[in-house]
Amino acid sequence: MGLYLHIPFCIRKCNYCDFLSFPADYDHQKAYIDALRKEIVLYSDMYHNEYYVDSIFIGGGTPSLLNIGLLRDLTKELTSGFDLAKDTEITIESNPKTLNKEKLEAYLEMGINRLSIGTQSFDNELLTRLGRAHSAKDFFDNYSLARKCGFLNINIDLMFSIPGQTMEHWKETLRTAADLAPEHLSFYSLQIEEGTPFFQMKEEGTLVETDGREDREMYHYAQTFLNEKEYLHYEISNASRAGYQCRHNLKYWSMENYLGLGLGAHSFMNGERFSNETDLKAYIKAGGIAEQPMGKNTSCIVSSPFTVWNHVNSREDDISEYLFTGLRKIEGVDLNEFHARFGESIKEVYAHNWNQMERYIREKYLVNTGNRLRFTKKGIDISNTILTEFIF
Amino acid sequence: MNSYQQLIRNFCIIAHIDHGKSTLADRIIENTGLVSHREMKEQFLDNMDLERERGITIKLQTTRLAYRAKNGKEYIFNLIDTPGHVDFTYEVSRSLAACEGALLIVDATQGVEAQTLANVYLALDEELEILPVINKIDLASARPDEAKLEIEDIIGIDAHDAPLISAKEGIGIEEVLEAVVEKVPAPSGDAGAKLKALIFDSYYDNYRGVVIYTRVFDGKVKKGDVIRLMNTKKKYEVTEVGVYSPGPMPVSELSAGEVGYICASIKQVADARVGDTITLDQDPTEEALPGYKKVQPMVYCGIYPAEGEKYENVKDALEKLQVNDAAFHFEPETSTALGFGFRCGFLGLLHMEIIVERLEREFDLGIITTSPSVIYKVVMNDGTEEMIQNPSNLPSPLLINHIQEPIVKADIMIPKEYVGSIMEICQERRGKMLHMEYITESRVALHYEMPLNEVIYDFFDALKSKTRGYGSLDYEFVRYEKSNVVKMDILLNKDLVDAFSMIVHESKAYNRGRFVCEKLKQIIPPHQFEVPIQASIGQKVIARETVKAYRKDVLAKCYGGDISRKRKLLEKQKEGKKRMRQFGSVEVPQEAFTAVLKYDDNK
């Protein structure tokens, strides 16, 4: 199974961000980590004999802001509570300017073997527009430092469709990134989410969203360019060197078990989805009453004071999720596995709208090899429309 | 005439929409002590929610009231309400025929309106005693003397002692009631003669079948009688006779001069048509009452179940409405774009809007309505004639000798400052001016002949919009006339969408085509390919727009395994898609069908 740990701290909030994060001093960090450790204890007893952990993702927020001592307490709690596979992928997310030699060496020493750096762009003007708290130089400094310290698996997050970003900017961004030869690259289209400063600016008319055609052109360019640079495009927004796909993120797209711990974290365990408290004070308070480890086979919504929502997937939920998550993978879904898992072929399950599927196949948005179903390049561009067909 | 009959007063109220008819009716009911104030819903006579909301009366209500006059005698008032709109002229004329008098309400701030005038003329045709009443005198902008003058000038009846009232404030109501006693004649008629009674309204009741509202002119009718309807020639046994006061109250009989209801196990209102004459089957009267007319729909449109709505549900609802509305017709039809649905006939545009709204609100149905069309008379090369209600059914131009369209006489009343702009919109709509007259110094009546096709399209909206709501309109069918009309089709991505087809005059086709294309361009969301929108006549494209390609349709971000969020987004998108109709590979939001019909001030 995979473990996700949410660290909701940032220096400042970016203009496009609607994730859970806040600025925090040491005392706040400590109070939060104490509660998070309580949550780890709560679950470790329940799961440690049944599952072993082979991926850990420390995400945020900006986990690299976390005090080293607190992070060490946290990882110790994890390693003592759960059974970890030998080659467990352990990722920490970071932002440029927040890393230094001391931190990087400590990460490696704790067993963290994958570093993700969210730089988004190498253009200072665009970084300012996005509201990022760092410059391009901060990124280059941190990146080379991480290499020097011995990180062998680094991801860089890049963003396109930033208002004001031209195709030339984007090409330059990709070239620069490829020159650094990271093992993994994420490339996201900016989404303007409600409640963010960008959303407000868009409403006021001071921010013009990149149009759909340009968005797709940038995406298509990235697909082609990264392929030329021998990156394997393996998920809608992710590419990597062979063997360096992110094991943890693939669990999200393959209906595998993952336990999300920390503020607002989401889990999927044994066909049940559940998620945590999103209010920081309430989360910390829950830590105060989380005394007893949970017994086996107890419902987390009842036994965990951190959990606020759950949903036991129906067969239909499982089927639709298997497809709308699975098709994010460029290789698509295994139709034989589908049949084995759900006792019916995909065509039987979707008999009511299979005509529509066949139209998508005929018009080359989807490919059905008999063994696998996947999007074509142009299928990805309208993936949401196609995926809605799999919702019951 | 017996003494009882002498105490009866049958009257109605004529007023323009918003001039206070229903409010006055409420006050009259209140002041006659029939219903206590506490029990009253606002505006008693308008009993459909829709009517109350729109402030118009669609179905007639009638009420028997008792009034003790200043002379000490107790009178029986039968207050017959009339519908207040252009589409229901015939219904109005029949309810007028049931009366001896009419209260003419004129708003002291607005003066006489076209619709009022049309109804006054109907009342004069029925030789009714007309009692003018000036309402809303409590308002600061009231000009009662001008209103009186208008009545005298335009209608030519004496208005110098018209009661000045405020129905809202309850001022002058008694004066009105006394005027009814003194001026409205008691009904004539012979209770000993053979039965002769007029159907002036009917409605369907789930328990009693059709309830007929009737005015007895001669003779008597009671439970157990076998009645004959002289025009439909059908026979029924009377199961109940009664009066509304205001709820149904059975009585032993209804005799000459009285107004009341009859139940006779009649299955639908079409069998008891307004205007028909009731007599006794055993002892029939020789001659039916004059004025029977089977009302015919003038305007047609397609009604289709929206995506996710069941055909059967729509059919059931239409059947229920038809049971209660003899003027409403429907039959099944098929559209390649919209599938199975119905072609529906209405008296006019308002009638259509009311039915559509009732389907949506009372029956909670999702429906799509297509462009309304009039009935065209198509004369074929071989001399035969076809009546076409659906543009899609227009035969090939090669087979057609010519097409005729219905022409109406339109009477328009407006404040004089709008004469120029209204003449312009009449001109644009192919109107031919018959004459124009100054009703008063500030108000003008324009009389036009105009194709009905133009009237139903957006004329009423345009009139209202250009005159800030002060213009009013009345129209009636005059004849069919040869016309250069053509069928205009709309193509989306090169595919013809039949539900958008319409018949337009050749001279208007270019503008209409451009307007529809522009509207659709605004409404159709971007696809992954360019969507050409074309308006064409035959093979010739007369207007074209393009919906530019591309929209963001990929969820690029993943958020710590929050699949439920992704699911919600996809569900929302799917929901949005449900409200779309798929035409070939193009998705069109359902609003598109109504949007292309809307009057656009800026065009």
Side-chain angles (χ1 to χ4, degrees):
Chain A
M1 66 182 252
L3 277 179
Y4 175 81
L5 294 151
H6 191 67
I7 308 297
F9 307 125
C10 278
I11 294 172
R12 57 171 290 184
K13 207 146 173 97
C14 300
N15 290 334
Y16 56 87
C17 175
D18 71 334
F19 287 16
L20 282 169
S21 70
F22 327 89
D25 58 19
Y26 178 80
D27 290 345
H28 281 99
Q29 289 193 2
K30 175 147 184 6
Y32 178 74
I33 296 301
D34 284 349
L36 182 52
R37 285 170 62 193
K38 290 268 178 62
E39 199 187 3
I40 293 169
V41 172
L42 202 66
Y43 282 103
S44 56
D45 190 57
M46 180 168 171
Y47 289 126
H48 87 275
N49 278 332
E50 221 166 322
Y51 300 102
Y52 68 91
V53 171
D54 64 353
S55 76
I56 297 174
F57 198 98
I58 305 168
T62 311
S64 51
L65 275 183
L66 197 58
N67 173 280
I68 297 286
L70 292 175
L71 183 64
R72 191 168 281 125
D73 294 344
L74 190 65
T75 48
K76 268 188 195 154
E77 202 73 74
L78 283 177
T79 44
S80 66
F82 289 95
D83 293 336
L84 266 58
K86 237 184 179 170
D87 64 340
T88 299
E89 173 195 277
I90 307 180
T91 306
I92 189 164
E93 279 190 319
S94 67
N95 275 329
K97 207 177 174 176
T98 62
L99 295 170
N100 55 40
K101 189 156 175 279
E102 188 200 351
K103 277 186 190 173
L104 289 162
E105 282 171 351
Y107 294 165
L108 287 166
E109 181 226 312
M110 289 172 211
I112 295 172
N113 50 24
R114 186 169 181 271
L115 180 70
S116 173
I117 311 177
T119 187
Q120 320 306 344
S121 174
F122 306 120
D123 182 312
N124 285 335
E125 211 174 297
L126 292 179
L127 288 172
T128 308
R129 184 162 304 149
L130 291 170
R132 304 284 302 173
H134 62 85
S135 67
K137 183 173 179 297
D138 292 329
F139 166 76
F140 294 123
D141 291 349
N142 278 184
Y143 184 87
S144 53
L145 192 61
R147 283 294 192 211
K148 249 181 240 161
C149 292
F151 269 95
L152 301 174
N153 187 356
I154 300 183
N155 166 60
I156 300 177
D157 280 345
L158 300 174
M159 191 181 273
F160 60 95
S161 278
I162 304 167
Q165 183 185 36
T166 63
M167 188 63 170
E168 283 315 308
H169 278 130
W170 177 234
K171 285 182 179 172
E172 181 58 33
T173 302
L174 287 168
R175 267 197 299 275
T176 308
D179 285 348
L180 295 170
E183 284 68 30
H184 194 282
L185 276 164
S186 292
F187 48 112
Y188 295 103
S189 167
L190 171 73
Q191 312 258 334
I192 297 180
E193 304 283 354
E194 226 175 306
T196 61
F198 268 8
F199 186 82
Q200 204 184 335
M201 287 158 76
K202 188 180 145 191
E203 296 283 285
E204 289 162 1
T206 51
L207 182 117
V208 182
E209 220 176 343
T210 306
D211 90 14
R213 177 188 287 272
E214 223 177 325
D215 174 81
R216 287 299 90 194
E217 280 170 0
M218 290 188 189
Y219 182 77
H220 295 155
Y221 181 80
Q223 283 175 307
T224 313
F225 177 80
L226 293 175
N227 186 43
E228 276 168 19
K229 295 289 172 183
E230 295 181 350
Y231 283 93
L232 174 72
H233 185 201
Y234 72 96
E235 194 264 355
I236 284 186
S237 316
N238 290 290
S240 74
R241 296 286 193 223
Y244 284 91
Q245 291 101 315
C246 176
R247 188 190 288 168
H248 185 81
N249 277 336
L250 277 173
K251 289 191 164 76
Y252 298 151
W253 317 127
S254 309
M255 301 282 282
E256 288 180 38
N257 288 324
Y258 55 91
L259 184 62
L261 305 173
L263 188 70
H266 284 253
S267 304
F268 180 62
M269 293 296 294
N270 301 320
E272 181 181 5
R273 295 200 180 274
F274 48 97
S275 69
N276 276 353
E277 181 61 67
T278 57
D279 180 87
L280 186 61
K281 275 188 190 146
Y283 182 86
I284 291 170
K285 210 173 145 197
I289 54 169
E291 294 304 333
Q292 296 297 316
M294 282 197 281
K296 280 204 172 9
N297 303 320
T298 49
S299 161
C300 61
I301 188 80
V302 177
S303 315
S304 163
F306 299 99
T307 309
V308 291
W309 171 84
N310 80 324
H311 172 80
V312 178
N313 268 12
S314 65
R315 177 172 179 266
E316 287 190 343
D317 292 337
D318 275 345
I319 290 173
S320 58
E321 285 172 12
Y322 183 86
L323 292 167
F324 79 67
T325 60
L327 286 167
R328 286 188 66 93
K329 295 178 285 186
I330 303 305
E331 62 170 25
V333 293
D334 183 330
L335 294 177
N336 298 319
E337 191 194 306
F338 181 97
H339 200 149
R341 193 163 180 157
F342 301 113
E344 269 183 300
S345 73
I346 186 170
K347 196 175 164 176
E348 285 164 329
V349 172
Y350 290 98
H352 60 283
N353 56 353
W354 194 250
N355 277 345
Q356 189 59 29
M357 302 301 170
E358 287 196 323
R359 214 193 95 210
Y360 285 131
I361 292 163
R362 201 170 54 243
E363 292 176 7
K364 303 209 164 45
Y365 292 102
L366 282 172
V367 176
N368 181 0
T369 63
N371 291 322
R372 300 199 77 86
L373 183 72
R374 61 175 172 82
F375 281 126
T376 61
K377 273 193 178 177
K378 72 171 189 170
I380 289 174
D381 294 340
I382 58 161
S383 52
N384 278 355
T385 295
I386 297 174
L387 292 177
T388 59
E389 296 289 341
F390 294 116
I391 306 271
F392 291 95
Chain B
M1 201 191 295
N2 62 35
S3 58
Y4 170 71
Q5 209 170 318
Q6 277 176 8
L7 295 173
I8 297 176
R9 296 291 180 273
N10 297 320
F11 67 101
C12 60
I13 304 175
I14 295 173
H16 187 69
I17 299 170
D18 298 335
H19 282 198
K21 178 173 66 174
S22 300
T23 316
L24 177 60
D26 286 351
R27 290 297 96 84
I28 290 176
I29 291 164
E30 233 174 69
N31 276 263
T32 51
L34 168 89
V35 197
S36 72
H37 202 303
R38 189 167 42 84
E39 287 169 323
M40 275 184 61
K41 276 197 201 173
E42 271 290 292
Q43 308 204 336
F44 185 79
L45 294 179
D46 293 352
N47 70 350
M48 292 202 303
D49 283 347
L50 202 60
E51 292 182 351
R52 197 165 298 122
E53 225 167 89
R54 291 188 156 212
I56 50 173
T57 308
I58 302 155
K59 290 303 282 186
L60 297 163
Q61 298 290 308
T62 186
T63 312
R64 173 187 282 215
L65 310 158
Y67 175 63
R68 186 168 294 279
K70 281 184 180 159
N71 65 17
K73 293 185 200 164
E74 189 166 278
Y75 288 84
I76 290 170
F77 281 8
N78 286 308
L79 171 55
I80 293 162
D81 201 11
T82 58
H85 193 275
V86 61
D87 288 351
F88 303 99
T89 302
Y90 181 67
E91 279 190 315
V92 174
S93 82
R94 292 308 84 199
S95 55
L96 293 174
C99 304
E100 277 77 34
L103 293 174
L104 165 64
I105 305 186
V106 175
D107 185 326
T109 67
Q110 309 253 334
V112 179
E113 303 276 359
Q115 186 58 52
T116 321
L117 201 54
N119 286 347
V120 169
Y121 289 142
L122 289 174
L124 289 171
D125 288 347
E126 299 296 331
E127 296 177 350
L128 262 51
E129 182 66 32
I130 294 175
L131 312 181
V133 173
I134 313 294
N135 193 19
K136 302 199 186 176
I137 56 150
D138 56 311
L139 297 182
S141 53
R143 297 170 285 116
D145 292 338
E146 276 182 49
K148 281 186 186 179
L149 268 180
E150 278 195 18
I151 294 170
E152 293 183 349
D153 288 354
I154 305 168
I155 305 169
I157 55 174
D158 184 7
H160 80 274
D161 60 350
L164 302 181
I165 70 159
S166 164
K168 197 166 142 242
E169 300 297 328
I171 301 167
I173 308 302
E174 196 168 317
E175 214 184 315
V176 174
L177 298 175
E178 287 297 319
V180 170
V181 169
E182 282 163 28
K183 297 188 176 162
V184 175
S188 56
D190 181 358
K194 294 177 178 182
L195 177 64
K196 191 185 271 190
L198 170 73
I199 301 178
F200 64 87
D201 191 21
S202 61
Y203 73 95
Y204 184 80
D205 177 288
N206 283 335
Y207 302 102
R208 297 181 294 170
V210 173
V211 178
I212 294 171
Y213 282 106
T214 187
R215 158 70 194 273
V216 181
F217 282 91
D218 284 321
K220 293 173 181 169
V221 61
K222 60 179 189 306
K223 184 178 168 180
D225 284 346
V226 175
I227 53 168
R228 185 196 300 175
L229 304 182
M230 295 180 78
N231 286 290
T232 57
K233 298 189 175 56
K234 289 188 175 160
K235 283 187 278 184
Y236 302 94
E237 189 184 323
V238 176
T239 57
E240 186 178 322
V241 297
V243 296
Y244 277 84
S245 82
M249 189 177 80
V251 296
S252 56
E253 61 173 29
L254 290 173
S255 68
E258 285 192 288
V259 171
Y261 68 85
I262 296 175
C263 302
S265 308
I266 302 172
K267 297 284 185 293
Q268 54 177 342
V269 292
D271 292 331
R273 286 181 178 274
V274 169
D276 208 343
T277 305
I278 304 168
T279 192
L280 290 179
D281 188 52
Q282 289 297 320
D283 187 18
T285 181
E286 315 255 300
E287 212 179 320
L289 291 159
Y292 176 77
K293 183 166 100 177
K294 195 175 157 185
V295 288
Q296 296 291 354
M298 301 256 274
V299 174
Y300 281 81
C301 80
I303 292 184
Y304 288 83
E307 198 69 42
E309 187 62 74
K310 288 201 185 81
Y311 175 86
E312 286 302 321
N313 294 350
V314 177
K315 187 169 171 238
D316 287 351
L318 292 175
E319 275 168 358
K320 283 195 183 116
L321 287 174
Q322 194 181 39
V323 157
N324 224 343
D325 186 344
F328 169 61
H329 283 233
F330 73 92
E331 56 185 50
E333 76 169 4
T334 322
S335 150
T336 37
L338 298 173
F340 292 104
F342 305 91
R343 176 97 334 216
C344 302
F346 310 91
L347 294 174
L349 216 51
L350 178 86
H351 189 208
M352 173 177 133
E353 279 173 18
I354 288 163
I355 298 254
V356 167
E357 219 167 306
R358 291 185 68 184
L359 288 171
E360 286 170 344
R361 296 193 4 197
E362 280 172 42
F363 295 91
D364 197 24
L365 293 173
I367 52 169
I368 295 177
T369 50
T370 65
S371 318
S373 169
V374 301
I375 307 168
Y376 293 92
K377 189 187 277 185
V378 180
V379 181
M380 311 296 281
N381 286 330
D382 62 8
T384 56
E385 285 180 1
E386 272 186 47
M387 302 304 279
I388 298 291
Q389 312 148 353
N390 181 348
S392 300
N393 294 344
L394 197 70
S396 155
L398 298 173
L399 303 173
I400 297 175
N401 181 284
H402 69 272
I403 301 175
Q404 297 178 7
E405 65 175 336
I407 305 292
V408 296
K409 178 170 171 287
D411 303 312
I412 301 154
M413 292 178 72
I414 45 170
K416 71 169 178 198
E417 61 264 39
Y418 302 116
V419 166
S421 58
I422 297 307
M423 282 172 70
E424 202 177 301
I425 65 169
C426 290
Q427 204 84 33
E428 275 170 21
R429 284 160 182 76
R430 300 185 284 136
K432 264 189 282 185
M433 192 160 88
L434 299 174
H435 61 283
M436 169 178 133
E437 64 203 319
Y438 271 83
I439 303 163
T440 63
E441 263 179 36
S442 60
R443 284 158 53 79
V444 171
L446 297 172
H447 304 282
Y448 272 87
E449 273 192 2
M450 214 185 279
L452 181 59
N453 160 323
E454 301 285 349
V455 176
I456 66 159
Y457 173 48
D458 65 357
F459 183 69
F460 195 62
D461 288 344
L463 175 68
K464 285 280 168 202
S465 157
K466 295 271 187 205
T467 61
R468 297 161 187 263
Y470 287 111
S472 59
L473 164 76
D474 185 57
Y475 64 83
E476 60 179 335
F477 172 76
V478 282
R479 64 176 172 278
Y480 271 93
E481 210 171 71
K482 189 172 168 181
S483 173
N484 224 346
V485 291
V486 290
K487 180 172 157 236
M488 182 176 84
D489 294 316
I490 299 295
L491 292 84
L492 297 180
N493 204 20
K494 306 278 163 72
D495 292 331
L496 191 150
V497 180
D498 61 355
F500 283 124
S501 294
M502 55 182 89
I503 293 177
V504 288
H505 193 258
E506 208 177 20
S507 66
K508 315 289 291 287
Y510 178 73
N511 279 336
R512 282 293 288 283
R514 213 174 45 186
F515 172 72
V516 172
C517 289
E518 278 168 10
K519 273 277 167 186
L520 289 176
K521 184 190 173 182
Q522 290 164 21
I523 287 171
I524 296 173
H527 286 57
Q528 295 305 128
F529 46 88
E530 287 197 341
V531 181
I533 303 167
Q534 295 163 304
S536 76
I537 296 171
Q539 298 302 312
K540 190 176 153 212
V541 173
I542 57 167
R544 184 193 160 104
E545 290 286 343
T546 306
V547 180
K548 293 261 190 310
Y550 287 101
R551 61 177 159 180
K552 234 181 205 183
D553 198 18
V554 193
L555 272 186
K557 196 159 66 175
C558 83
Y559 178 29
D562 184 357
I563 302 300
S564 60
R565 177 171 165 146
K566 230 179 132 45
R567 171 185 284 280
K568 270 181 214 143
L569 279 160
L570 291 173
E571 279 169 353
K572 199 172 148 202
Q573 186 166 339
K574 189 184 173 83
E575 213 34 58
K577 224 163 121 180
K578 263 195 202 161
R579 289 194 297 272
M580 302 275 194
R581 294 298 288 226
Q582 184 96 27
F583 298 130
S585 49
V586 182
E587 285 178 348
V588 181
Q590 277 168 193
E591 324 66 284
F593 290 91
T594 40
V596 300
L597 306 175
K598 289 271 154 66
Y599 173 71
D600 188 344
D601 226 350
N602 305 315
K603 80 180 171 197

